[in-house]
Amino acid sequence: GAVVSQHPSRVICKSGTSVKIECRSLDFQATTMFWYRQFPKKSLMLMATSNEGSKATYEQGVEKDKFLINHASLTLSTLTVTSAHPEDSSFYICSARELAGNEQFFGPGTRLTVL
Amino acid sequence: AQRVTQPEKLLSVFKGAPVELKCNYSYSGSPELFWYVQYSRQRLQLLLRHISRESIKGFTADLNKGETSFHLKKPFAQEEDSAMYYCAPTGRASSYKLIFGSGTRLLVRP
């Protein structure tokens, strides 16, 4: 089946620094990738939709200048948390949708801890 | 608005008992319905989708358009079924975003 990877799997950073998370579709092309946050024992909260070659579409309440998304190719999307603060600590998950079909394939997630 | 309701936060059953995880949705147009499962410390993975009408790991789900429901069922639960289950429609009306419910935690006791 289709595989999505994320890197890094966990990151600890100091408050005020920026952190980049990569999401790759390993064996398929993804025109659309999605970025989610998941709080402990909670459902996924969609942050933004990333379309290859165009600007990301952010959900209401998500700061686009805070969470920068780049989708430069059909297999790579990046999420950069800028000037991270402790409240940004969370589990960030990406998913990728194939060119044809509605199924999304999920990455393993990235645990971000901001000190 | 597109919305999913999974009324049970936690469903606890004994091994071998039947299980039904409820899902009701509100969605414009004709969505495709999915059940995703998240086992402990693992990524979300597709369990089944309504268009395939398959039975995966003994689970089935029937789309009832009249009741706008897509309940997940298994006749005999196993301990390894313990996980978080999410019902999610998608389609053009949500720009192909999955609309996640709050999820149901299934706990199968020995």
Side-chain angles (χ1 to χ4, degrees):
Chain A
V3 179
V4 174
S5 70
Q6 277 184 246
H7 178 81
S9 58
R10 63 176 64 228
V11 57
I12 300 172
C13 69
K14 292 182 178 180
S15 187
T17 61
S18 294
V19 174
K20 180 185 283 190
I21 303 169
E22 290 186 350
C23 177
R24 291 181 186 273
S25 57
L26 298 186
D27 49 3
F28 67 101
Q29 292 184 326
T31 50
T32 308
M33 290 183 171
F34 303 87
W35 288 95
Y36 300 84
R37 279 181 81 164
Q38 187 177 35
F39 294 99
K41 299 189 184 298
K42 297 289 186 184
S43 185
L44 283 76
M45 183 191 81
L46 180 66
M47 298 174 65
T49 302
S50 170
N51 295 298
E52 187 265 337
S54 64
K55 289 184 178 180
T57 304
Y58 290 82
E59 296 299 301
Q60 195 171 12
V62 178
E63 299 175 60
K64 62 181 181 182
D65 295 329
K66 173 78 170 173
F67 300 98
L68 300 178
I69 292 172
N70 184 277
H71 193 155
S73 76
L74 285 172
T75 59
L76 173 65
S77 176
T78 60
L79 168 69
T80 302
V81 184
T82 61
S83 186
H85 290 283
E87 57 266 29
D88 298 325
S89 298
S90 192
F91 196 55
Y92 292 88
I93 301 172
C94 75
S95 70
R97 176 174 164 250
E98 287 184 291
L99 288 173
N102 290 329
E103 181 180 354
Q104 289 184 28
F105 301 93
F106 285 82
T110 297
R111 169 96 36 215
L112 170 63
T113 303
V114 185
L115 303 176
Chain B
Q2 329 306 339
R3 189 170 62 249
V4 173
T5 301
Q6 292 182 250
E8 305 116 341
K9 278 190 175 180
L10 172 66
L11 192 59
S12 181
V13 301
F14 287 103
K15 176 183 171 182
V19 66
E20 181 180 44
L21 286 75
K22 290 187 168 50
C23 170
N24 287 91
Y25 65 92
S26 172
Y27 198 96
S28 305
S30 299
E32 184 171 359
L33 274 295
F34 293 88
W35 275 99
Y36 279 86
V37 60
Q38 190 174 28
Y39 300 103
S40 180
R41 299 184 183 282
Q42 293 188 29
R43 72 181 70 193
L44 232 73
Q45 56 187 278
L46 179 66
L47 181 63
L48 52 80
R49 59 202 301 178
H50 88 269
I51 61 172
S52 66
R53 300 185 67 81
E54 289 180 305
S55 173
I56 307 294
K57 299 185 179 183
F59 285 96
T60 58
D62 289 320
L63 177 61
N64 186 321
K65 291 184 179 180
E67 295 181 0
T68 58
S69 67
F70 189 53
H71 304 325
L72 183 68
K73 300 176 185 179
K74 185 169 183 176
F76 307 104
Q78 303 300 314
E79 289 178 71
E80 54 266 30
D81 295 329
S82 296
M84 197 73 184
Y85 291 80
Y86 296 97
C87 174
T90 188
R92 185 172 294 193
S94 61
S95 302
Y96 301 101
K97 294 181 283 191
L98 285 166
I99 307 300
F100 279 99
S102 53
T104 296
R105 181 168 297 281
L106 175 63
L107 178 61
V108 183
R109 301 177 184 275

Short mmCIF file of all heavy atoms in Angstrom, two decimals, chain B residues 1 6 10-11 24 32 34 37-38 43 51-52 56 58-59 65 69-70 72 74-75 79 83-84 89 91 98 101 109:
data_model
loop_
_atom_site.label_atom_id
_atom_site.label_comp_id
_atom_site.label_asym_id
_atom_site.label_seq_id
_atom_site.Cartn_x
_atom_site.Cartn_y
_atom_site.Cartn_z
N ALA B 1 -23.64 22.42 6.79
CA ALA B 1 -22.24 22.15 7.12
C ALA B 1 -22.01 20.65 7.21
O ALA B 1 -22.92 19.89 7.52
CB ALA B 1 -21.89 22.81 8.45
N GLN B 6 -20.10 10.76 16.33
CA GLN B 6 -19.83 9.44 16.89
C GLN B 6 -20.22 9.56 18.37
O GLN B 6 -19.48 10.11 19.16
CB GLN B 6 -18.36 9.06 16.73
CG GLN B 6 -17.97 8.83 15.28
CD GLN B 6 -16.52 8.41 15.14
OE1 GLN B 6 -15.68 9.16 14.65
NE2 GLN B 6 -16.22 7.20 15.58
N LEU B 10 -16.41 6.08 24.47
CA LEU B 10 -15.78 4.83 24.87
C LEU B 10 -16.79 3.71 24.78
O LEU B 10 -17.93 3.85 25.24
CB LEU B 10 -15.24 4.93 26.30
CG LEU B 10 -14.72 3.63 26.94
CD1 LEU B 10 -13.47 3.15 26.20
CD2 LEU B 10 -14.42 3.85 28.41
N LEU B 11 -16.36 2.62 24.16
CA LEU B 11 -17.20 1.44 24.09
C LEU B 11 -16.38 0.29 24.64
O LEU B 11 -15.32 -0.03 24.11
CB LEU B 11 -17.60 1.17 22.64
CG LEU B 11 -18.70 0.15 22.37
CD1 LEU B 11 -19.98 0.55 23.06
CD2 LEU B 11 -18.92 0.01 20.87
N ASN B 24 -23.09 8.84 12.56
CA ASN B 24 -24.09 9.56 11.78
C ASN B 24 -23.42 10.78 11.16
O ASN B 24 -22.57 11.39 11.79
CB ASN B 24 -25.27 9.98 12.66
CG ASN B 24 -26.14 8.81 13.01
OD1 ASN B 24 -25.94 8.15 14.03
ND2 ASN B 24 -27.10 8.52 12.16
N GLU B 32 -18.19 9.97 0.06
CA GLU B 32 -17.63 8.64 0.25
C GLU B 32 -17.33 8.52 1.74
O GLU B 32 -16.78 9.43 2.35
CB GLU B 32 -16.36 8.45 -0.57
CG GLU B 32 -15.80 7.04 -0.46
CD GLU B 32 -14.68 6.75 -1.43
OE1 GLU B 32 -14.30 7.64 -2.23
OE2 GLU B 32 -14.17 5.61 -1.38
N PHE B 34 -15.61 6.61 5.08
CA PHE B 34 -14.48 5.80 5.50
C PHE B 34 -14.57 5.53 7.00
O PHE B 34 -15.11 6.33 7.76
CB PHE B 34 -13.15 6.54 5.26
CG PHE B 34 -12.82 6.76 3.81
CD1 PHE B 34 -13.26 7.89 3.15
CD2 PHE B 34 -12.02 5.86 3.12
CE1 PHE B 34 -12.94 8.11 1.82
CE2 PHE B 34 -11.69 6.07 1.79
CZ PHE B 34 -12.15 7.19 1.14
N VAL B 37 -8.81 3.58 11.62
CA VAL B 37 -8.50 3.04 12.94
C VAL B 37 -7.09 3.47 13.34
O VAL B 37 -6.19 3.58 12.51
CB VAL B 37 -8.64 1.50 12.96
CG1 VAL B 37 -7.70 0.83 11.96
CG2 VAL B 37 -8.40 0.94 14.36
N GLN B 38 -6.94 3.75 14.61
CA GLN B 38 -5.63 4.11 15.14
C GLN B 38 -5.34 3.23 16.34
O GLN B 38 -5.92 3.41 17.42
CB GLN B 38 -5.61 5.59 15.54
CG GLN B 38 -4.23 6.12 15.88
CD GLN B 38 -4.22 7.63 16.12
OE1 GLN B 38 -5.21 8.22 16.53
NE2 GLN B 38 -3.08 8.26 15.85
N ARG B 43 0.10 4.82 13.43
CA ARG B 43 -0.52 5.84 12.60
C ARG B 43 -1.95 5.46 12.27
O ARG B 43 -2.37 4.30 12.36
CB ARG B 43 0.29 6.00 11.30
CG ARG B 43 0.15 4.84 10.32
CD ARG B 43 0.98 5.07 9.07
NE ARG B 43 2.39 4.97 9.35
CZ ARG B 43 3.35 5.37 8.52
NH1 ARG B 43 3.01 5.94 7.36
NH2 ARG B 43 4.62 5.24 8.81
N ILE B 51 -17.56 2.17 -0.51
CA ILE B 51 -17.70 1.78 -1.91
C ILE B 51 -17.12 0.39 -2.18
O ILE B 51 -17.51 -0.26 -3.15
CB ILE B 51 -17.07 2.80 -2.86
CG1 ILE B 51 -15.57 2.94 -2.60
CG2 ILE B 51 -17.77 4.14 -2.75
CD1 ILE B 51 -14.86 3.78 -3.64
N SER B 52 -16.24 -0.07 -1.34
CA SER B 52 -15.63 -1.38 -1.59
C SER B 52 -16.48 -2.51 -1.05
O SER B 52 -16.37 -3.65 -1.50
CB SER B 52 -14.23 -1.45 -0.99
OG SER B 52 -14.31 -1.38 0.41
N ILE B 56 -13.17 -6.18 6.50
CA ILE B 56 -11.77 -6.13 6.89
C ILE B 56 -11.65 -6.49 8.36
O ILE B 56 -12.33 -5.89 9.20
CB ILE B 56 -11.17 -4.73 6.65
CG1 ILE B 56 -11.42 -4.26 5.22
CG2 ILE B 56 -9.69 -4.72 6.98
CD1 ILE B 56 -10.70 -5.06 4.17
N GLY B 58 -12.90 -8.68 9.94
CA GLY B 58 -14.20 -9.07 10.47
C GLY B 58 -15.18 -7.93 10.63
O GLY B 58 -16.33 -8.14 11.02
N PHE B 59 -14.74 -6.70 10.33
CA PHE B 59 -15.60 -5.54 10.44
C PHE B 59 -16.36 -5.30 9.14
O PHE B 59 -15.82 -5.50 8.06
CB PHE B 59 -14.79 -4.27 10.75
CG PHE B 59 -14.31 -4.17 12.16
CD1 PHE B 59 -13.02 -4.57 12.50
CD2 PHE B 59 -15.12 -3.65 13.15
CE1 PHE B 59 -12.57 -4.47 13.80
CE2 PHE B 59 -14.68 -3.54 14.46
CZ PHE B 59 -13.40 -3.95 14.79
N LYS B 65 -28.24 5.65 3.55
CA LYS B 65 -28.40 7.05 3.12
C LYS B 65 -29.64 7.67 3.73
O LYS B 65 -29.67 8.88 4.00
CB LYS B 65 -28.45 7.11 1.60
CG LYS B 65 -27.13 6.77 0.93
CD LYS B 65 -27.21 6.95 -0.57
CE LYS B 65 -25.86 6.64 -1.21
NZ LYS B 65 -25.90 6.81 -2.69
N SER B 69 -26.31 7.20 8.10
CA SER B 69 -25.49 6.50 9.07
C SER B 69 -24.52 5.55 8.38
O SER B 69 -24.75 5.12 7.24
CB SER B 69 -26.35 5.71 10.07
OG SER B 69 -27.01 4.64 9.41
N PHE B 70 -23.46 5.24 9.08
CA PHE B 70 -22.42 4.35 8.55
C PHE B 70 -21.81 3.62 9.75
O PHE B 70 -20.64 3.75 10.06
CB PHE B 70 -21.38 5.15 7.78
CG PHE B 70 -20.38 4.32 7.00
CD1 PHE B 70 -20.81 3.35 6.10
CD2 PHE B 70 -19.02 4.53 7.13
CE1 PHE B 70 -19.91 2.60 5.37
CE2 PHE B 70 -18.09 3.79 6.40
CZ PHE B 70 -18.55 2.82 5.52
N LEU B 72 -20.28 0.86 12.22
CA LEU B 72 -19.26 -0.18 12.07
C LEU B 72 -19.61 -1.35 12.98
O LEU B 72 -19.90 -1.14 14.16
CB LEU B 72 -17.89 0.38 12.44
CG LEU B 72 -16.68 -0.53 12.29
CD1 LEU B 72 -16.42 -0.82 10.81
CD2 LEU B 72 -15.45 0.11 12.92
N LYS B 74 -18.98 -5.61 14.20
CA LYS B 74 -18.21 -6.85 14.19
C LYS B 74 -18.93 -7.83 15.10
O LYS B 74 -19.28 -7.48 16.23
CB LYS B 74 -16.77 -6.62 14.67
CG LYS B 74 -15.90 -7.86 14.57
CD LYS B 74 -14.43 -7.55 14.79
CE LYS B 74 -13.58 -8.82 14.62
NZ LYS B 74 -12.13 -8.56 14.73
N PRO B 75 -19.17 -9.04 14.64
CA PRO B 75 -19.97 -9.96 15.44
C PRO B 75 -19.25 -10.49 16.69
O PRO B 75 -19.89 -10.72 17.71
CB PRO B 75 -20.30 -11.10 14.47
CG PRO B 75 -19.28 -11.00 13.39
CD PRO B 75 -18.87 -9.57 13.31
N GLU B 79 -9.48 -8.94 21.40
CA GLU B 79 -8.70 -7.98 22.19
C GLU B 79 -7.88 -7.06 21.30
O GLU B 79 -7.71 -5.88 21.60
CB GLU B 79 -7.79 -8.72 23.17
CG GLU B 79 -8.53 -9.38 24.31
CD GLU B 79 -7.58 -10.14 25.23
OE1 GLU B 79 -6.82 -9.46 25.95
OE2 GLU B 79 -7.60 -11.38 25.24
N ALA B 83 -8.78 -0.07 20.06
CA ALA B 83 -8.16 1.02 19.30
C ALA B 83 -9.12 2.19 19.29
O ALA B 83 -10.23 2.13 19.82
CB ALA B 83 -7.85 0.58 17.87
N MET B 84 -8.68 3.24 18.62
CA MET B 84 -9.52 4.42 18.39
C MET B 84 -10.06 4.32 16.98
O MET B 84 -9.30 4.06 16.04
CB MET B 84 -8.67 5.67 18.57
CG MET B 84 -9.44 6.92 18.77
SD MET B 84 -10.17 6.98 20.41
CE MET B 84 -11.08 8.50 20.25
N PRO B 89 -16.49 11.08 6.39
CA PRO B 89 -16.90 11.23 5.00
C PRO B 89 -15.97 12.21 4.29
O PRO B 89 -15.29 13.02 4.92
CB PRO B 89 -18.31 11.81 5.12
CG PRO B 89 -18.27 12.61 6.38
CD PRO B 89 -17.29 11.92 7.29
N GLY B 91 -15.59 14.22 0.13
CA GLY B 91 -16.16 14.40 -1.20
C GLY B 91 -15.98 15.83 -1.65
O GLY B 91 -15.28 16.63 -1.02
N LEU B 98 -11.20 15.07 4.68
CA LEU B 98 -11.91 14.13 5.53
C LEU B 98 -12.53 14.89 6.69
O LEU B 98 -11.86 15.70 7.33
CB LEU B 98 -10.95 13.06 6.07
CG LEU B 98 -10.49 11.98 5.10
CD1 LEU B 98 -9.30 11.22 5.68
CD2 LEU B 98 -11.62 11.02 4.78
N GLY B 101 -15.01 12.59 12.85
CA GLY B 101 -15.78 12.63 14.08
C GLY B 101 -14.83 12.69 15.26
O GLY B 101 -13.60 12.67 15.11
N ARG B 109 -12.20 -6.27 26.45
CA ARG B 109 -11.64 -6.88 27.66
C ARG B 109 -11.56 -8.40 27.52
O ARG B 109 -12.41 -9.00 26.87
CB ARG B 109 -12.50 -6.52 28.86
CG ARG B 109 -12.62 -5.03 29.13
CD ARG B 109 -13.55 -4.75 30.31
NE ARG B 109 -13.75 -3.33 30.52
CZ ARG B 109 -12.92 -2.56 31.23
NH1 ARG B 109 -11.85 -3.07 31.77
NH2 ARG B 109 -13.20 -1.28 31.38
#
